[in-house]
């Protein structure tokens, strides 16, 4: 298995950037469009969880916008062969220490790169980020 093929890393990096733009914009349809449209899709959030894209759509529709000034640090895209990648990053908001952590598993499907699992968390101590 070839690890970190440059073309795959570039494709997933671009898809992740599009997802992040949709997230910051609060565009629910675009955000959900980056996820695999399946009951098997799983997302664990800070105080929530969704099993299946339908649950995620309902949950996202009721969420307030993100705080302004979201920033990412230490983003890593690791590709495993031509069709699977994992993205990890830490995030924070203007005026706060970087505290959040985010992991996504991306798979190349017939419709393109899609997130099949996602996990968002925050450490118990803000200085542990």
């Amino acid at each position: 298995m070839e690890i970190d093929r440059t073309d795959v890393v570039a494709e997933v990096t671009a898809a992740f950037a599009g997802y992040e733009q949709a997230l910051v914009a609060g565009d629910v349809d675009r955000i959900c469009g980056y996820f695999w449209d399946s009951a098997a899709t799983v997302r664990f959030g800070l105080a929530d969880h969704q099993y299946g894209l339908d649950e995620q759509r309902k949950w996202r529709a009721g969420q307030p916008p993100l705080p302004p000034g979201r920033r990412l640090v230490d983003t890593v895209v690791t590709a495993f062969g031509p069709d699977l990648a994992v993205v990890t990053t830490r995030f924070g908001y203007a005026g706060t220490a970087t505290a959040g952590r985010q992991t996504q598993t991306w798979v190349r499907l017939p419709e393109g790169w899609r997130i099949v699992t996602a996990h968002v968390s925050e450490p118990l101590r803000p200085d542990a980020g």
Side-chain angles (χ1 to χ4, degrees), residues 36-58:
W36 180 31
D37 191 357
S38 170
T41 299
V42 177
R43 181 189 171 278
F44 295 141
L46 295 176
D48 59 279
H49 58 272
Q50 298 85 46
Y51 293 92
L53 190 55
D54 289 340
E55 278 189 20
Q56 187 177 162
R57 278 190 187 103
K58 290 175 191 169

Side-chain angles (χ1 to χ4, degrees), residues 18-39:
Y19 167 83
E20 185 67 18
Q21 290 169 350
L23 186 65
V24 169
D27 187 332
V28 172
D29 290 335
R30 278 186 51 217
I31 294 166
C32 290
Y34 284 98
F35 282 82
W36 180 31
D37 191 357
S38 170

Side-chain angles (χ1 to χ4, degrees), residues 16 20 69-77 87-94 96-103 121 123 126 128-129:
F16 177 73
E20 185 67 18
R70 180 175 163 94
R71 69 186 183 293
L72 304 180
V73 296
D74 299 332
T75 302
V76 176
V77 177
V87 178
T88 57
T89 195
R90 294 186 304 130
F91 63 88
Y93 299 94
T96 65
T98 302
R101 301 169 182 169
Q102 181 175 312
T103 302
S121 64

